[in-house]
Amino acid sequence: MTRIERLTVGGEALFQKLNVVFATAFDDPDSYSSKPPTASYLAGLLAKDHVIALVAMDGADVVGGIVAYELEKFEQERKEIYIYDLAVAEAYRRRGIATALIEKLREIAGERQAWVVYVQADYGDDPAVALYTKLGTREDVMHFDIAIQGGAAHRS
């Protein structure tokens, strides 16, 4: 039986394990494993109230997780929760873990009086699209990455 936990300061080692799950699930070791953040950096993130990191645990193993951010809006006095990353280890998929992670995030969003939780999905990621369709309303939008001259993305 898996359990869902919110990471707080002291959960840096679990966050590092979650990054391994993300690296494998997204087939993106360069982003998630090549330059792992230090424990002090992760502690700083976990200390921030607007950073929400949840892990799905099977015993001592991290088998999935979600990282989301609370965004304060300017057009109205309200907040939104943006799911940045969500993944479940392949051996644990189709067991309701992703849904349980989102449900826990919805609970936290309600406690924080957020207006909505939203997430992006890639075309072709049919399992993610099916999950999000089951839980919410689809909006077709475009996403653009705008490079920063001299920014970290341009350094090797």
Side-chain angles (χ1 to χ4, degrees):
M1 179 81 181
T2 57
R3 67 187 186 285
I4 308 299
E5 295 180 14
R6 181 168 183 182
L7 296 181
T8 58
V9 174
E12 297 83 7
L14 293 177
F15 208 137
Q16 289 170 331
K17 290 180 181 181
L18 178 57
N19 272 342
V20 173
V21 172
F22 288 152
T24 303
F26 303 145
D27 192 25
D28 191 1
D30 287 345
S31 293
Y32 292 92
S33 300
S34 66
K35 297 178 185 174
T38 64
S40 63
Y41 178 84
L42 292 175
L45 280 180
L46 292 173
K48 295 179 181 184
D49 201 35
H50 72 280
V51 176
I52 304 165
L54 305 174
V55 290
M57 302 292 299
D58 182 13
D61 297 327
V62 174
V63 299
I66 194 167
V67 175
Y69 300 94
E70 179 183 296
L71 306 173
E72 293 180 345
K73 303 300 288 182
F74 67 90
E75 71 276 9
Q76 293 185 29
E77 291 183 24
R78 64 182 182 188
K79 306 170 201 171
E80 299 177 350
I81 306 291
Y82 173 60
I83 298 174
Y84 184 77
D85 277 331
L86 167 64
V88 175
E90 190 168 2
Y92 287 83
R93 293 181 188 158
R94 310 290 308 158
R95 299 186 192 185
I97 294 171
T99 300
L101 286 161
I102 292 172
E103 289 301 325
K104 180 64 176 175
L105 182 63
R106 288 172 77 181
E107 178 185 315
I108 293 167
E111 291 167 0
R112 300 184 63 77
Q113 300 180 334
W115 175 67
V116 71
V117 173
Y118 70 101
V119 63
Q120 294 175 199
D122 293 327
Y123 288 102
D125 189 351
D126 296 336
V129 171
L131 172 66
Y132 303 146
T133 299
K134 177 179 80 170
L135 297 173
T137 303
R138 179 177 174 160
E139 291 185 31
D140 286 319
V141 298
M142 300 172 104
H143 170 103
F144 298 89
D145 289 333
I146 300 171
I148 300 168
Q149 291 296 349
H154 294 288
R155 296 182 197 138
S156 47

